[in-house]
Amino acid sequence: MTTPDYAEKIPNNVELREDRRLQRALESWQPNFLSWWESMGPTLPTRDVYLRTAINVGREGWAHFAHVPMRDYRWGIFLAERDPGRVIGFGEHKGEPAWEQVPGEYRADLRRLIVIQGDTEPASVEQQRNLGATAPSLYDLRNLFQVNVEEGRHLWAMVYLLHAYFGRDGRDEADELLHRNSGSEDSPRILGAFNEETPDWLSFFMFTYFTDRDGKYQLGTLKESAFDPLSRTCEFMLKEEAHHMMVGTTGVDRVVERTAQLMVGNDTDDVAAFGAIGLPVIQRYLNFHYSVSLDLFGGETSTNVANYYTAGLKGRWNEDRRKDDHKLTDDGMLVDALVEGEIGQAEVAALTGLNTDLRREYIADCTIGVNRWNKILESAGLPHRLGLPHIAFNRKVGAFAGIEASPSGELLSPTEWQQRKTEWLPTDVDKTYVRSRMHAVYDRGKIASWIAPPRNGINGQPFGYDYVHLA
Ligand SMILES: [Fe+2]
Ligand SMILES: [Fe+2]
């Protein structure tokens, strides 16, 4: 069960061979996926890339590393191992056996949840497709491609569920996942942040830190699902996500480190003369990516999400570590709200506040990164600090969508916002400057001037390893 067969056209650990109909359906989707990858995936021509491929779902040694041509990457279907005794951990079905099939009454909701998750995976590949042309090092280039092929595999993970459990509707949705495109006028991706472009590597690192991290939290709630195949799929995806988080965290680390080095070495705040990116620009990029990622969690209150929870479709982050009845029918909580026009909090039923609950877990996690970056500044002997902006800053979704607030949380009139927003969000000048710093460095062991080299390479290889062979 746990060893995928790589002799198969579609490597998998779900005994696809036993289900000819499903196998045929997925094999007919496969060429569409590959032509999507060719037309919407990475644009930089490469011979091969040092990539990891999942070969097992167990705790130890689940991945294999080798140089492979990206087109021949073995995108497969991997679910975490089944626990035959698993029971539902929350909601009105708490304590009942987990579902191996989709209950008819929850079919539409489950399909929707899977489609929304599935839509983000290829979207990020599309957003990042041109970044290879300006990679700061071969190491970074390899990490970009690793993230890309794994987001492609996450699409496979969701498409498998759609094909295997949702019949004709599921197959149609799987086709749609390849038809919608990031930033498209006619058929954009479902969620706003996935239609923004990722034009430069600072954006890429901020995206993998903040926006990919939203994905981690969404997968964490779906991992709790009563629908066991979804739960097992997400559990395995979370394993791969850890690398994406690492790319974002250490990526920003290295930009901050390089900037700090130049500030101290040259006794100046203005590092542009040395080809690096100043702290105010880094802060504005952070403000942007953080605030659009907060929007991905939806409104502060949501009856849909309350229903998903009660039905057992989507749980909370670390559901099993929560010390309550896992039903929440009688509980209340405070959520962020506009109270008589002021930024404040309001008490709501705990079930309707679940988006807020998840967003708070996410915010706590984001704080860890900011603390890391501030430690880098501190150990360089600099008094400057980065920070997360206020929850009401630059929001387009939820309680604060209709107001404007500064990063410190003061309410602003529309005019004040218009006058001051360039202090807080990336300006055209910032973006042009950052883009002007993006020159590809493809020599082994070399790195661009605006970023420090990583402390460790990949899979024990040195930084100067030949991670990518260009075509
Ligand atoms: Fe993903
Ligand atoms: Fe990811």
Side-chain angles (χ1 to χ4, degrees), residues 173-205:
E173 293 284 12
D175 291 342
E176 284 305 306
L177 287 170
L178 295 176
H179 290 151
R180 281 187 294 272
N181 288 144
S182 179
S184 156
E185 293 266 305
D186 308 327
S187 57
R189 292 293 175 185
I190 299 169
L191 300 172
F194 290 89
N195 288 302
E196 302 280 347
E197 52 174 346
T198 311
D200 59 69
W201 281 77
L202 182 58
S203 300
F204 173 64
F205 293 135

Side-chain angles (χ1 to χ4, degrees), residues 117 120-121 124 150-151 154-155 212 215 219 237 241 244:
Q117 182 61 41
T120 65
E121 313 288 355
S124 65
E150 283 175 352
E151 301 303 7
H154 294 173
L155 171 61
D212 238 359
L219 291 175
M237 288 163 78
E241 284 301 334
H244 309 184

Side-chain angles (χ1 to χ4, degrees), residues 231-258:
S231 164
R232 290 160 54 211
T233 298
C234 292
E235 191 176 329
F236 187 67
M237 288 163 78
L238 279 165
K239 239 183 164 105
E240 293 167 316
E241 284 301 334
H243 176 259
H244 309 184
M245 303 294 103
M246 185 284 282
V247 169
T249 309
T250 59
V252 181
D253 280 1
R254 292 159 52 212
V255 180
V256 172
E257 186 184 325
R258 179 65 180 148

Side-chain angles (χ1 to χ4, degrees), residues 31-52:
N32 300 338
F33 170 82
L34 287 172
S35 67
W36 166 81
W37 177 265
E38 293 288 297
S39 63
M40 298 306 291
T43 53
L44 184 75
T46 50
R47 194 145 49 85
D48 57 33
V49 182
Y50 188 64
L51 292 174
R52 75 173 179 192

Side-chain angles (χ1 to χ4, degrees), residues 97 121 162 187 206 232 256 281 405 407 423 439 453:
E121 313 288 355
L162 290 169
S187 57
M206 292 291 179
R232 290 160 54 211
V256 172
V281 178
E423 294 171 39
H439 300 294

